[in-house]
Amino acid sequence: MLHATTWESCPAELLLSAAAPEDTGKDARLLEQLKQQNRRGLERVMKRYTAYVGTILRNVTRGQTTQEDLEELTADVFLALWHHAPEMRTEHLTGYLASIARSKGVQLAAEKPPRNHAH
């Protein structure tokens, strides 16, 4: 699987087709690490789910955000995950991340006017 270090280096087709990685056993271990505030667990989650979160954010904001906004939103999603990890009561990391990402994306879209595209 390809891992991009920045949004710019990530091909659009990868972002648009990024599906949540499926390995419930690995997710259960990652959830446990997050609940115990294990930083390596957070790093693993970020490496594994950045493209997934980015895809959700792009879809929710309908392309009306800058690259910088997307990167900041992605960081905000993982920060929220980290802060709420000790009290998480879910076994579905992908669903939890998707919920945070949708919420953050909708919030930003409501705060920012649509970008004007020059033709």
Side-chain angles (χ1 to χ4, degrees), residues 9 21 27 85 91 94 99 113 117:
S9 65
D27 281 358
E91 296 176 13
T94 54
S99 177
H117 295 285

Side-chain angles (χ1 to χ4, degrees), residues 6-28:
T6 67
W7 288 106
E8 289 80 21
S9 65
C10 192
E13 57 274 3
L14 176 63
L15 285 174
L16 295 174
S17 67
E22 293 185 29
D23 184 346
T24 54
K26 186 174 245 180
D27 281 358

Side-chain angles (χ1 to χ4, degrees), residues 45-117:
V45 168
M46 290 173 70
K47 183 175 183 179
R48 185 173 170 91
Y49 288 104
T50 294
Y52 173 69
V53 168
T55 298
I56 293 167
L57 290 169
R58 280 188 194 276
N59 290 338
V60 169
T61 60
R62 291 179 166 72
Q64 295 298 312
T65 57
T66 65
Q67 193 64 35
E68 184 177 295
D69 286 338
L70 283 174
E71 290 173 3
E72 187 174 324
L73 278 173
T74 300
D76 288 348
V77 168
F78 290 112
L79 185 61
L81 175 68
W82 179 253
H83 284 296
H84 296 285
E87 69 244 16
M88 280 193 306
R89 296 194 188 338
T90 185
E91 296 176 13
H92 305 284
L93 183 55
T94 54
Y96 197 83
L97 282 169
S99 177
I100 296 170
R102 280 191 302 269
S103 176
K104 297 280 184 192
V106 166
Q107 183 180 8
L108 180 76
E111 293 172 358
K112 285 193 159 220
R115 289 190 316 177
N116 292 331
H117 295 285

